[in-house]
Amino acid sequence: MTKRNDIQGPLAPLDTDSIAPEVHGTEKRTTAALRLLGRLGLVFARTFRLFFTAHCDKRESWRMAHRFTNGSLAFIVVSMAFVGMIMVYQSTEQLARAVGDTTLVGASFLKLLVRVLGPTVIGMLLACRVGAGIAAEIGAMAVTDQLDAMRMSAADPIETLMVPRLRGGLIASLALVIIGSFSAVLAGLATSRLMYGMAPGTYFNFSMIQPFDVVQGIAKSFSYGVAVPIISGAFGLFARGGARGVGEATTAAVVGSSFAIVLLDSLISMAAHILEGL
């Protein structure tokens, strides 16, 4: 009985105002927000604890990784190509007008892409594409009593649903950051070459990229790969109230994942700045 309560406690459906606290009074909103943060923390702790020890089908984790990567590939490649084009165009245009020297456009863009732009923009895109899908899928199972059926069959929804999505999200996040950043680099090269006649040797200037920049980019990629599946899956687990509840959970998952990405980006950047100064 203790195990059943432990499973069901943090996963029992939230009240609607806990997901989107449309209540009057600062005290009620604060209580609802703190309650939600606490339950998100419980889901994160239990998912992370089961990450290496879960007895779920390992092929399910690879299937999730393939689904997340393949389903988001075209979206991220095209989006990052436009990001690369815009960043290189704006940087070259401003430097050409201000100082007339555009030789460091490629070096500064590549450093920014590796350190911040690639992981964070792609993390936001994953929150929209992958996070919404996870929340809708698990939310639909929650409102149709499939999660209760799993518990009655002695299956833990965290182990069965969350852990494979977390493993798949980590793999997909790193793979998509690499592919999307490469797409931005190529689009930036095409823009600089066609519009400004910049030589490829000038554009591919890696002198400003330090090993710590690469470490920071990888750390952000993995942290976003953790945040998006857990937050989105948790809101799906909390869903209630039929189709409307699934929609609210999906919206909350996208907003929550996006906010977590911004917060993690700030924290990792500040930590990197402090460590670089040591």
Side-chain angles (χ1 to χ4, degrees):
M1 181 62 68
T2 302
K3 183 177 179 181
R4 179 178 174 82
N5 291 336
D6 179 64
I7 292 175
Q8 209 163 359
L11 303 185
L14 285 175
D15 294 334
T16 303
D17 58 1
S18 298
I19 295 178
E22 299 175 356
V23 292
H24 298 288
T26 304
E27 185 177 352
K28 289 184 178 181
R29 286 195 294 266
T30 302
T31 302
L34 291 176
R35 181 180 175 219
L36 178 58
L37 287 176
R39 300 185 72 179
L40 285 172
L42 288 173
V43 173
F44 170 78
R46 295 196 52 222
T47 305
F48 189 76
R49 180 170 59 87
L50 292 170
F51 183 81
F52 295 103
T53 61
H55 298 294
C56 57
D57 188 359
K58 293 183 179 179
R59 291 177 297 179
E60 181 70 7
S61 300
W62 287 107
R63 190 178 73 84
M64 288 296 166
H66 178 267
R67 192 178 94 182
F68 296 159
T69 306
N70 189 53
S72 308
L73 187 59
F75 173 52
I76 285 179
V77 166
V78 173
S79 299
M80 289 303 296
F82 279 106
V83 169
M85 292 169 59
I86 294 170
M87 290 296 298
V88 170
Y89 172 77
Q90 292 291 345
S91 300
T92 308
E93 190 73 16
Q94 295 300 320
L95 285 176
R97 292 181 179 180
V99 297
D101 183 10
T102 60
T103 56
L104 292 179
V105 168
S108 58
F109 171 66
L110 292 174
K111 181 181 180 66
L112 180 64
L113 185 69
V114 170
R115 188 176 182 127
V116 178
L117 193 64
T120 302
V121 173
I122 292 173
M124 288 288 190
L125 297 175
L126 284 176
C128 298
R129 175 62 177 81
V130 174
I134 292 175
E137 183 179 14
I138 297 180
M141 298 178 67
V143 300
T144 55
D145 298 327
Q146 295 183 53
L147 297 183
D148 292 334
M150 292 177 63
R151 298 185 189 104
M152 292 179 65
S153 302
D156 185 355
I158 293 288
E159 183 176 9
T160 306
L161 299 176
M162 295 291 290
V163 172
R165 284 161 176 79
L166 175 57
R167 292 172 177 172
L170 282 169
I171 298 171
S173 177
L174 183 59
L176 289 171
V177 165
I178 295 173
I179 296 171
S181 299
F182 187 68
S183 173
V185 169
L186 293 181
L189 172 63
T191 303
S192 64
R193 182 65 177 169
L194 295 175
M195 299 191 67
Y196 299 98
M198 186 181 297
T202 303
Y203 177 81
F204 286 108
N205 184 353
F206 300 98
S207 60
M208 295 180 65
I209 299 179
Q210 303 298 324
F212 203 74
D213 297 328
V214 180
V215 173
Q216 184 176 340
I218 294 175
K220 290 181 179 181
S221 301
F222 279 124
S223 64
Y224 303 156
V226 171
V228 172
I230 288 183
I231 294 175
S232 302
F235 278 113
L237 292 169
F238 300 157
R240 62 172 298 178
R244 179 180 177 181
V246 175
E248 291 175 348
T250 303
T251 302
V254 174
V255 174
S257 298
S258 300
F259 179 78
I261 288 170
V262 173
L263 180 62
L264 288 170
D265 182 36
S266 301
L267 293 176
I268 294 174
S269 297
M270 287 189 292
H273 178 73
I274 294 172
L275 291 175
E276 282 181 319
L278 296 179

